[in-house]
Amino acid sequence: MNDMSILVAGVIGLLGAGLYGLLAVRNLFQVIIALQVLVKAAVLALVMAGYASGNLALGQSLGVTVIVADTVVAVIGLALAVQVKRHLGTLDIKALATLRR
Amino acid sequence: MLNLILVSGAILCALQAMQTKRLIRAALWLACVSAFVALTMYRIGAHEVAVIELSVGAGLVTILFVFGISIAGEDAMDAPAIVPKVLIGGMALALVVTLGLLLLPVGEGSPQPEQTSFAVMLWEQRALDVLVQVGLIFAGVLGVLGLLADEAQVAHKPVKRETAVANPEPVLAATETPAPQEARA
């Protein structure tokens, strides 16, 4: 198994772990953490694709853009989670379904 | 071999971040994932993005998580998942197996000599991306304000009450002063 196959396996494994977390956890903070894991897999895939195609600079610049977007998503998600905790008193995502009742 | 260790470490840390009940530990496991991913990227020659990932992913985001958790408090939940865990595991495994069958094995790749440097690519050829990043950073600043907004209001409210209770005399004086004028009139 060569290095590129190992990296692709790593990307797939991180995607699997992120998807598992996204479906399994009910805490809002952990949902954001699962999203972060998924985005890290995407960044690694972009950089790896740039490396494999011989255009690492393009992969790196796209990776930087994704990292910035990912950080902003984390900040806004954290702000929403803190506000949810203040207003509903819990971080359980099931408590957010108030419109259904 | 080192790549295998780094990639395995990243996946194990990601699974630990999903499994643990304490939020602080989950944030620290996420920082470990970032560190492993950054090391992997450094190994394949992507030095700039590796440094950014390490400083932003393992540093800034972890600090933000710890800050947010300290505001909201640890809310450990033992409630079961909405979807049965067997089904979730099956779905994640199906994704991994399907992608593995589609993508693996991968050829060694033929890295050609770099035509452009990272700086030229980012600042000249991907200038629109940089503008989008500036907009995103402003959105992030608004997010931080959202994190702090209610805190500021809560911090101001007791101060107003204290001043109202501590200095009742000006109010009484204001109500008493017009009385003599009315009496004169």
Side-chain angles (χ1 to χ4, degrees):
Chain A
M1 204 171 186
N2 57 20
D3 275 354
M4 286 303 295
S5 297
I6 291 171
L7 292 178
V8 171
V11 169
I12 294 171
L14 282 176
L15 281 176
L19 179 72
Y20 173 80
L22 210 56
L23 293 175
V25 298
R26 284 174 58 172
N27 192 311
L28 266 174
F29 279 106
Q30 278 187 303
V31 169
I32 300 169
I33 289 174
L35 274 176
Q36 293 272 310
V37 171
L38 281 172
V39 173
K40 284 184 198 327
V43 172
L44 187 58
L46 278 173
V47 174
M48 195 189 58
Y51 173 74
S53 64
N55 201 349
L56 188 58
L58 178 61
Q60 285 196 87
S61 68
L62 291 175
V64 168
T65 307
V66 174
I67 287 171
V68 171
D70 173 43
T71 308
V72 173
V73 166
V75 170
I76 293 175
L78 283 172
L80 286 175
V82 168
Q83 298 300 329
V84 165
K85 171 77 176 180
R86 279 195 183 129
H87 287 97
L88 298 180
T90 180
L91 288 170
D92 191 354
I93 53 170
K94 218 172 176 183
L96 288 176
T98 50
L99 286 178
R100 208 176 51 186
R101 292 167 198 156
Chain B
M1 185 63 189
L2 189 57
N3 280 342
L4 186 61
I5 294 171
L6 292 174
V7 162
S8 307
I11 295 171
L12 285 177
C13 290
L15 288 174
Q16 281 294 326
M18 301 300 123
Q19 293 280 342
T20 185
K21 298 285 178 200
R22 295 202 59 188
L23 294 177
I24 289 283
R25 284 186 191 163
L28 293 178
W29 283 118
L30 179 68
C32 292
V33 175
S34 280
F36 278 119
V37 169
L39 281 172
T40 309
M41 289 192 289
Y42 190 85
R43 288 257 312 152
I44 61 175
H47 300 155
E48 291 89 353
V49 77
V51 170
I52 292 171
E53 170 66 30
L54 193 63
S55 59
V56 173
L60 176 67
V61 172
T62 307
I63 290 171
L64 285 171
F65 266 105
V66 172
F67 181 60
I69 291 167
S70 69
I71 290 176
E74 283 269 352
D75 199 5
M77 285 188 297
D78 292 328
I82 297 170
V83 185
K85 283 214 171 181
V86 178
L87 186 59
I88 297 170
M91 286 171 70
L93 199 65
L95 172 85
V96 168
V97 170
T98 308
L99 284 178
L101 288 176
L102 285 174
L103 297 177
L104 292 173
V106 183
E108 192 53 63
S110 55
Q112 297 152 2
E114 281 287 315
Q115 301 293 323
T116 52
S117 69
F118 172 66
V120 171
M121 177 63 74
L122 183 66
W123 294 109
E124 293 177 12
Q125 297 185 15
R126 311 290 302 179
L128 187 62
D129 286 4
V130 177
L131 286 177
V132 171
Q133 287 177 36
V134 172
L136 283 172
I137 289 169
F138 275 114
V141 171
L142 291 178
V144 173
L145 289 179
L147 261 176
L148 301 171
D150 236 350
E151 279 244 316
Q153 288 174 7
V154 170
H156 279 296
K157 276 177 189 168
V159 174
K160 284 177 185 169
R161 281 177 199 154
E162 281 170 14
T163 51
V165 172
N167 303 322
E169 294 163 1
V171 180
L172 288 174
T175 50
E176 283 171 2
T177 44
Q181 290 172 356
E182 284 169 9
R184 279 177 204 164

